[in-house]
Amino acid sequence: MNLSFFDQFASPSLMGIPLVIIAMMFPTLMLPSQDNRWITNRLSSIQSWLIHMITKQLMIPLNKKGHKWSLILMSLMMLLLSINLLGLLPYTFTPTTQLSMNMALALPLWMATLLTGLRNQPSISLGHLLPEGTPTLLIPALILIETTSLLIRPLALGVRLTANLTAGHLLIQLISTATVALLPSMPTVSILTSLILLLLTMLEIAVAMIQAYVFVLLLSLYLQENI
Amino acid sequence: ILHSRPLHTTQQRSAPLPPLPEKGGEVRHGLIPEEFFQFLYPKTGVTGPYMLGTGLLLYLLSKEIYVINHETVAAACILSIIIYGVKKYGADVAAFADKLNEEKIAKMAAVKNEAIKDLETAIEEEKKEQWRVEGRRYLFDAKRNNIAMLLEANYRERLLMVYNEVKKRLDYQVAMQNLKRQKEQDHMIQWVEKNVIQSITPQQQKESIAKCILDLKALSKSAQAAV
């Protein structure tokens, strides 16, 4: 199979049957589900410890009403983490490289935080549009700027995730192509390039985890302002 | 951590779950179960599975069923990183997971031991109380003596009080009588003196004085100073 650079970003299909739904669901199926056991096996123990730790980290700044969001935010976090990390394996399709999926995640969640704020405490929510202590003359301009920044948030969330992952995957592809192409003619340069690839892969692993975390963290921050 | 109870189609069993096996299945090279090697052992001996693997790989490569492209290099990188990570930190992570479970069990065991200790102390206390019961006879005797003494002392006190009160009343009567007698005497003396002085008329006074002078002269004649 001769792969072009577009193949890893193409929506997977097997003989005309679209597999994208399976591609999105599969990573979460790898995680063990909670049993009724008191003492679980190692993987389940580590998973629950990890989820506890992250939930505490994310939910401490929120007030009691915000804790209702912990389920969806933690599930989102585990989804993104598993999808991102599994996408680093060869010949896999990473759903989060598609802008459509990321926007589908970011826009409704951001809108939910906005509407919660506008419904429950409209003046405070709108009051966030003007930072404290601004000079009187700047107020109109600043409100316009803050509104723009507010409306651009979902776009930023989606595009941030997409761009980071797509760029990372593309870089891996390009540098490995360079390594393969240089192998017959200049093996030493090829080896240097493969070292770069090694470092890049480590960076990509970090980026995968960080991007998932940042997505959820920003959502929780937007929630903090509005709940 | 989603409980997928709504997705269950059959009846849920509420019987206790079977215990987890102590160790996972035996695995060689981290991927291939040991049963596979045992399965091939009777026919092909120890080197069987390895020959199968090498042959399969060479077949795929030579027939270009698996094409070496840029993904191969990327695969080599990520797999080497994963294998390095697992080999270096695998044991630590397993120990950590075991520690999490150990801590859980230890907490419960601590509660149980505390309860056992408390009950043992309670048994000791109870035995001591039973020993104390045997000595209660002496206790009651001493108490009885105490009370008898108190009653006696109280009775004597009251006797004394009665005696004092009666004496006070009798003394009062005696003093009254004495006073009365005294007053009567004084009054009588005064009355007699008054009357005597009244009864001495002036003429009687002159006669008595003259008689006194005559008596004195007569006495002076007889009683010459013995010079």
Side-chain angles (χ1 to χ4, degrees):
Chain A
M1 43 192 158
N2 278 324
L3 290 179
S4 69
F5 293 135
F6 299 113
D7 282 339
Q8 68 159 342
F9 300 116
S11 187
S13 65
L14 183 64
M15 299 194 288
I17 304 173
L19 297 173
V20 65
I21 300 285
I22 304 178
M24 281 201 287
M25 296 291 133
F26 179 70
T28 44
L29 292 175
M30 310 236 24
L31 302 170
S33 62
Q34 287 279 302
D35 232 342
N36 279 343
R37 294 180 180 280
W38 179 47
I39 298 287
T40 49
N41 59 356
R42 287 172 179 169
L43 188 57
S44 290
S45 311
I46 294 184
Q47 183 188 273
S48 18
W49 168 80
L50 195 68
I51 292 185
H52 274 152
M53 192 176 73
I54 302 178
T55 315
K56 254 197 324 198
Q57 275 282 328
L58 280 175
M59 292 295 146
I60 278 180
L62 293 170
N63 61 5
K64 201 118 180 277
K65 270 181 27 179
H67 292 171
K68 281 194 268 190
W69 281 65
S70 61
L71 181 60
I72 190 167
L73 286 178
M74 285 321 295
S75 338
L76 183 64
M77 169 96 186
M78 294 317 284
L79 177 76
L80 290 176
L81 203 60
S82 48
I83 286 183
N84 290 351
L85 283 174
L86 279 176
L88 289 169
L89 293 173
Y91 302 108
T92 48
F93 168 67
T94 321
T96 34
T97 50
Q98 310 298 314
L99 187 62
S100 52
M101 164 161 169
N102 293 342
M103 289 306 292
L105 285 174
L107 193 69
L109 288 171
W110 164 82
M111 180 92 64
T113 64
L114 185 68
L115 290 179
T116 317
L118 282 178
R119 185 175 183 270
N120 294 341
Q121 38 182 40
S123 5
I124 301 180
S125 244
L126 289 173
H128 280 306
L129 289 177
L130 188 67
E132 271 188 42
T134 57
T136 327
L137 284 176
L138 280 177
I139 290 183
L142 210 53
I143 292 192
L144 284 172
I145 293 175
E146 289 283 334
T147 314
T148 324
S149 123
L150 179 73
L151 292 175
I152 232 176
R153 276 178 186 173
L155 205 63
L157 272 176
V159 171
R160 178 185 303 115
L161 192 54
T162 316
N164 267 301
L165 274 124
T166 315
H169 283 239
L170 205 56
L171 264 177
I172 290 182
Q173 301 280 313
L174 289 170
I175 297 188
S176 35
T177 312
T179 318
V180 167
L182 285 172
L183 200 53
S185 40
M186 290 184 277
T188 344
V189 183
S190 177
I191 299 222
L192 283 175
T193 328
S194 67
L195 280 174
I196 295 181
L197 186 59
L198 215 59
L199 294 171
L200 185 66
T201 317
M202 288 196 272
L203 177 68
E204 277 311 304
I205 297 177
V207 165
M209 298 194 279
I210 289 171
Q211 285 306 316
Y213 178 64
V214 160
F215 195 92
V216 179
L217 184 68
L218 282 174
L219 271 178
S220 81
L221 278 172
Y222 301 153
L223 188 63
Q224 246 178 295
E225 288 182 350
N226 280 320
I227 197 147
Chain B
I1 326 176
L2 291 165
H3 282 269
S4 54
R5 289 290 144 113
L7 296 175
H8 284 188
T9 46
T10 55
Q11 283 284 45
Q12 294 170 15
R13 295 162 294 167
S14 47
L17 293 166
L20 282 174
E22 283 284 325
K23 308 174 69 57
E26 280 288 310
V27 160
R28 223 191 266 204
H29 304 296
L31 274 179
I32 307 157
E34 188 65 36
E35 286 86 6
F36 183 65
F37 291 82
Q38 298 305 320
F39 172 67
L40 287 181
Y41 181 76
K43 289 288 193 271
T44 52
V46 180
T47 51
Y50 296 105
M51 290 307 294
L52 179 62
T54 321
L56 201 61
L57 193 62
L58 286 175
Y59 164 66
L60 291 174
L61 283 172
S62 70
K63 288 266 191 179
E64 293 260 319
I65 298 178
Y66 176 72
V67 179
I68 294 204
N69 48 19
H70 57 272
E71 289 265 16
T72 316
V73 174
C77 279
I78 189 105
L79 283 177
S80 57
I81 290 182
I82 289 178
I83 292 176
Y84 172 73
V86 165
K87 278 206 183 306
K88 188 144 186 247
Y89 299 113
D92 287 339
V93 170
F96 178 72
D98 285 338
K99 193 163 71 84
L100 285 175
N101 281 348
E102 289 295 313
E103 276 172 9
K104 247 195 197 174
I105 294 180
K107 263 199 286 194
M108 290 295 141
V111 168
K112 184 180 83 156
N113 287 340
E114 279 280 328
I116 288 180
K117 221 158 37 102
D118 283 341
L119 285 174
E120 274 177 6
T121 351
I123 290 177
E124 300 270 332
E125 299 276 312
E126 181 62 32
K127 287 213 167 80
K128 199 144 169 251
E129 289 301 314
Q130 281 176 351
W131 168 77
R132 282 204 186 133
V133 160
E134 288 162 19
R136 71 179 187 268
R137 192 163 70 87
Y138 301 110
L139 189 68
F140 292 161
D141 277 344
K143 285 197 167 160
R144 235 178 261 133
N145 279 345
N146 263 2
I147 291 178
M149 265 200 288
L150 273 178
L151 286 174
E152 182 78 30
N154 210 0
Y155 173 66
R156 296 257 173 98
E157 251 182 55
R158 289 206 195 146
L159 265 183
L160 186 64
M161 200 167 68
V162 164
Y163 167 77
N164 281 341
E165 287 292 308
V166 167
K167 186 152 175 303
K168 268 199 304 199
R169 278 161 183 65
L170 290 176
D171 282 344
Y172 174 70
Q173 294 298 327
V174 162
M176 278 289 283
Q177 278 183 356
N178 282 348
L179 186 67
K180 206 165 173 195
R181 172 83 62 75
Q182 186 85 4
K183 284 283 180 228
E184 280 175 355
Q185 273 183 350
D186 287 341
H187 187 255
M188 228 188 291
I189 292 174
Q190 261 183 338
W191 186 79
V192 165
E193 282 180 0
K194 196 169 81 170
N195 279 346
V196 162
I197 291 176
Q198 267 183 343
S199 69
I200 303 179
T201 59
Q203 210 227 332
Q204 255 185 325
Q205 218 172 345
K206 269 193 215 151
E207 279 181 20
S208 63
I209 287 175
K211 190 160 180 270
C212 280
I213 293 173
L214 282 176
D215 278 337
L216 273 175
K217 274 189 187 160
L219 279 172
S220 70
K221 266 195 197 149
S222 58
Q224 288 281 338
V227 179

